[in-house]
Amino acid sequence: MNRYPLWKYLLLVVVVVIGVLYALPNLYGEDPAIQISKRDGAIGSGLQAQVAAVLKKDNLRYKRIETEGSNLLVRFYGTGTQLRAIDPIKKALGKQYIVAVNLAPSTPQWLRAIGAKPMYLGLDLRGGVHFLLQIDMAAAVGQVLDRDETAIRRFLMNKQVPYASVTRHNEQLLIRFTSTAQRDKAQGLLAGQYRDLTFTAKNTGGPALVAQLSDAALLQTKQYALEQNITTLRNRVNELGVAEPVIQRQGQDRIVVELPGVQDTARAKNILGATAGLEFRLVYQGGNAAAAAKSGNVPLGARLFYERNGQPILLKSQVILTGDYITNASSGFEQQNNTPAVFITLDGQGASLMTAATRNNVGKFMAVVYIDTTPETKMVNGKKTTVYVKHDSVINVARIQQTLGQRFQITGLSSPQQARNLSLLLRAGSLAAPMNIVEERTVGPSLGKENIQQGFNSAVIGFLLVVLFMAAYYRVFGMIANLALFANVVLVVAVMSMIQATLTLPGIAGITLTVGMAVDANVLIFERIREELRNGNTPQASIHAGYDRAMATIVDSNVTTLIAALILFAFGSGAVKGFAITLSIGIVTSMFTAIMGTRAVVNLIYGRRRRIKKLAV
């Protein structure tokens, strides 16, 4: 009656062992570290020796240097050495590398080999700055219409269709004509050329056309604005040298930026608001870039640039056009050879400039230059001064296959991933729309440690009080419930570590709440067993009836709570989601440990006894 089949015991053992293994990394803490990654591509084999030489030269003691994925990680014994080491390493490696301060988990190799990692800690537990940025979507739509306004004027002039005026009113373009015939002719031509716009004939104040972005184009414009701003912000944060930043969308027009470890809010604001741009230039023919880079003598009419792999390249001084003319860029495959490509769309003015520049240069190479301007703090006459430094790098060089116009493609890319990255960079040359900081928070590292300690204390005190109550009130059965409670906490931590969830302060509250809820099921079961005993049933029958008849109530209460937690996760944000995640995981694991776990232990203790006089419950 009260015996489990062998497979249930084995399942419990396997789940608990896996839970312990994946929860263990959270006990090992973190090492102060410096993370080094290359801006474009993988790090070289000689980088480790180069960094070791820099640290040895400055007498900076480190724990070890190791390769982690495409990054190099230098672990230190203390934060003092870590902070002293970052400037010499930056100076030695140059701008090709991103050097960021980090806290690296000190998980043993045998645990890392099975993929066991500690949970991420949220900003409230680790310290840093939090920004909530609101995108001005009306401005994004306005920029698109401004470009269309100029392009429509040029298009009608080229097609020799007279018009009175083209003006923008909010999210509409009003094109006025002097006759209905001119309007009807223009409507047919414009509808075939500008498929993202809908043209409606009006007669208010004379014959006119009202142009509006279609619903699909409007949605795409807002989507691109959000995506482009996120990509641009990621580039900015890389320049800030922050490891493990959180940059994610919130809703349809907001972006959350969390920078762990950053305490200088003013500098972070400057970085996030920095400007960037793109330039298309022809490659200078006949010069020797390596010699120019070595001697500093650049030929007349050329400028020296560097590709992202550090190779020098000479480009013509004259700029064909800038990224301001790009209206869209997407990745895909070109049709002839099915190789990765980036498809670019320019506005009308950009198309004219590109056609004029490439008509006589088919077969030559053209380069795309990415320009970034970031503020840097320098000491000038003993005072800290913010100066804006311009960084430019060649992100792509491709041969011009034919005269280019409004739409053209860049080929010669090594992989679809490179094509996708390039399209993102082209779109991310500058912010698609202005943003305002609507929320700003700073959490100090000492406050983060204090939050961790207080959260830990509350969870431990709550756990101990529950354990004492259960042991005193339900005796042996209470101790079994305590065992399941401990297993439940281990499983919650293990699951959160497996899915790499971020633990926040509300998340700790969710775990503490789960501790109380986990024994709730056992209280129902044990009270049911007591009731069966008072009714004169045998101990074995009472155990069986207690678990069997309390099951429906336990399932009902946990499922309703789980539904509430899922709704919190679906509609909540930030801290609310953190609470919902830990609560949801805790409900599922508590049902497993409180029902199946305790029943297995009870069966082991009482299931094989033929005669039981009384139960310690």
Side-chain angles (χ1 to χ4, degrees):
M1 182 182 292
N2 290 314
R3 294 183 181 179
Y4 262 174
L6 181 61
W7 69 268
K8 283 192 175 181
Y9 288 114
L10 291 176
L11 176 64
L12 274 168
V13 171
V14 169
V15 169
V16 171
V17 169
I18 291 176
V20 170
L21 285 176
Y22 280 86
L24 269 179
N26 297 284
L27 299 178
Y28 286 94
E30 296 173 319
D31 289 329
I34 288 179
Q35 182 179 305
I36 303 169
S37 58
K38 201 169 184 182
R39 293 184 185 277
D40 188 16
I43 57 175
S45 56
L47 182 63
Q48 186 168 339
Q50 186 182 357
V51 173
V54 171
L55 296 174
K56 185 178 179 182
K57 180 183 175 185
D58 291 339
N59 197 25
L60 296 168
R61 193 161 166 257
Y62 60 91
K63 190 180 282 185
R64 64 178 181 271
I65 303 176
E66 59 193 18
T67 303
E68 192 175 83
S70 59
N71 303 322
L72 193 72
L73 201 65
V74 187
R75 294 175 181 268
F76 295 90
Y77 290 99
T79 53
T81 315
Q82 175 203 32
L83 296 176
R84 288 202 307 275
I86 190 162
D87 284 339
I89 293 176
K90 274 186 177 178
K91 188 177 179 181
L93 299 184
K95 296 187 180 300
Q96 296 177 39
Y97 292 89
I98 298 171
V99 182
V101 178
N102 196 358
L103 286 174
S106 53
T107 309
Q109 179 58 37
W110 66 274
L111 279 173
R112 281 188 284 170
I114 61 173
K117 299 176 183 176
M119 292 179 287
Y120 286 123
L121 295 182
L123 204 68
D124 49 358
L125 300 180
R126 196 173 182 180
V129 293
H130 164 100
F131 294 109
L132 180 61
L133 303 160
Q134 172 88 44
I135 301 175
D136 186 353
M137 287 299 182
V141 174
Q143 287 177 6
V144 173
L145 290 176
D146 285 342
R147 285 196 292 265
D148 287 340
E149 179 185 339
T150 305
I152 286 173
R153 281 202 186 100
R154 187 178 294 273
F155 177 77
L156 293 176
M157 287 175 61
N158 291 337
K159 295 296 180 183
Q160 297 182 341
V161 179
Y163 63 92
S165 64
V166 182
T167 53
R168 181 168 75 86
H169 300 278
N170 297 325
E171 296 189 354
Q172 294 180 340
L173 290 177
L174 183 63
I175 312 165
R176 294 189 180 279
F177 299 88
T178 54
S179 70
T180 307
Q182 292 170 356
R183 183 194 64 188
D184 294 342
K185 182 182 178 183
Q187 186 174 11
L189 292 170
L190 290 170
Q193 179 69 16
Y194 298 93
R195 300 184 185 280
D196 289 342
L197 295 172
T198 58
F199 295 91
T200 307
K202 294 264 176 116
N203 288 314
T204 308
L209 285 175
V210 175
Q212 284 181 301
L213 285 172
S214 63
D215 291 341
L218 195 62
L219 183 64
Q220 188 183 44
T221 299
K222 293 180 178 179
Q223 185 70 24
Y224 276 172
L226 188 64
E227 190 178 345
Q228 182 172 330
N229 280 18
I230 287 175
T231 305
T232 305
L233 288 175
R234 286 208 173 99
N235 294 335
R236 302 286 178 277
V237 171
N238 284 340
E239 294 300 328
L240 198 59
V242 177
E244 298 176 8
V246 175
I247 302 172
Q248 60 188 20
R249 63 182 293 175
Q250 185 178 90
Q252 300 300 317
D253 57 357
R254 289 186 171 187
I255 300 173
V256 173
V257 179
E258 292 187 345
L259 308 175
V262 174
Q263 301 302 317
D264 190 345
T265 312
R267 181 163 180 255
K269 279 181 176 177
N270 285 337
I271 292 286
L272 297 178
T275 58
L278 291 170
E279 289 179 354
F280 290 83
R281 293 171 181 262
L282 288 172
V283 174
Y284 185 82
Q285 304 293 322
N288 187 324
K294 190 174 181 180
S295 64
N297 296 322
V298 180
L300 189 64
R303 272 193 61 188
L304 180 65
F305 288 87
Y306 289 88
E307 297 184 56
R308 293 205 156 178
N309 58 8
Q311 292 295 319
I313 183 172
L314 288 172
L315 305 181
K316 287 193 173 182
S317 300
Q318 184 179 4
V319 178
I320 297 175
L321 56 83
T322 65
D324 294 338
Y325 296 97
I326 295 178
T327 58
N328 189 19
S330 59
S331 60
F333 293 87
E334 58 105 1
Q335 294 181 352
Q336 289 185 350
N337 300 314
N338 198 31
T339 55
V342 174
F343 303 94
I344 294 176
T345 305
L346 302 175
D347 61 13
Q349 191 176 358
S352 300
L353 293 171
M354 182 61 82
T355 300
T358 57
R359 184 181 296 121
N360 299 320
N361 291 295
V362 174
K364 296 180 181 177
F365 285 96
M366 183 175 67
V368 182
V369 183
Y370 178 74
I371 304 164
D372 204 0
T373 305
T374 57
E376 291 185 3
T377 303
K378 292 186 177 180
M379 298 299 291
V380 178
N381 298 327
K383 294 182 180 179
K384 285 187 176 180
T385 306
T386 301
V387 295
Y388 289 86
V389 181
K390 185 178 176 183
H391 308 282
D392 46 32
S393 60
V394 177
I395 60 175
N396 179 260
V397 178
R399 187 183 294 278
I400 301 171
Q401 303 287 353
Q402 59 186 356
T403 302
L404 305 179
Q406 188 173 23
R407 295 182 179 87
F408 60 94
Q409 60 188 33
I410 295 176
T411 57
L413 304 166
S414 60
S415 65
Q417 182 61 38
Q418 188 184 7
R420 185 172 179 276
N421 290 342
L422 179 57
S423 67
L424 284 174
L425 275 176
L426 290 172
R427 292 206 307 268
S430 58
L431 294 174
M435 295 188 295
N436 297 320
I437 296 176
V438 295
E439 184 180 304
E440 176 186 332
R441 290 202 312 267
T442 303
V443 182
S446 56
L447 181 59
K449 285 183 180 176
E450 190 179 338
N451 287 340
I452 292 177
Q453 191 59 49
Q454 289 180 346
F456 180 77
N457 290 343
S458 64
V460 169
I461 292 172
F463 182 86
L464 290 177
L465 288 176
V466 171
V467 165
L468 288 174
F469 172 79
M470 293 299 290
Y473 198 68
Y474 294 107
R475 295 180 289 173
V476 174
F477 277 74
M479 293 304 294
I480 295 172
N482 290 337
L483 191 64
L485 187 61
F486 180 74
N488 178 51
V489 173
V490 171
L491 289 180
V492 169
V493 174
V495 172
M496 291 188 67
S497 302
M498 283 179 184
I499 63 175
Q500 288 291 280
T502 300
L503 181 66
T504 60
L505 205 55
I508 294 178
I511 293 176
T512 308
L513 179 60
T514 303
V515 168
M517 293 180 60
V519 293
D520 187 53
N522 290 119
V523 169
L524 285 172
I525 294 168
F526 299 160
E527 288 298 327
R528 191 73 193 185
I529 291 174
R530 282 180 171 180
E531 188 178 336
E532 294 294 330
L533 289 172
R534 283 196 294 269
N535 291 336
N537 288 331
T538 65
Q540 292 286 11
S542 299
I543 291 172
H544 181 77
Y547 276 95
D548 193 41
R549 294 176 182 174
M551 180 65 75
T553 308
I554 294 170
V555 171
D556 287 349
S557 63
N558 281 278
V559 166
T560 50
T561 309
L562 184 61
I563 290 172
L566 293 176
I567 290 176
L568 277 178
F569 180 78
F571 295 98
S573 63
V576 177
K577 278 195 173 184
F579 176 79
I581 288 173
T582 50
L583 183 61
S584 302
I585 295 171
I587 290 170
V588 174
T589 54
S590 70
M591 287 186 68
F592 177 77
T593 55
I595 298 173
M596 193 170 176
T598 58
R599 183 69 186 270
V601 179
V602 168
N603 286 353
L604 277 176
I605 297 174
Y606 297 103
R608 296 182 183 280
R609 297 185 192 177
R610 291 186 176 179
R611 293 183 179 179
I612 303 173
K613 293 183 178 178
K614 58 186 296 187
L615 292 176
V617 61

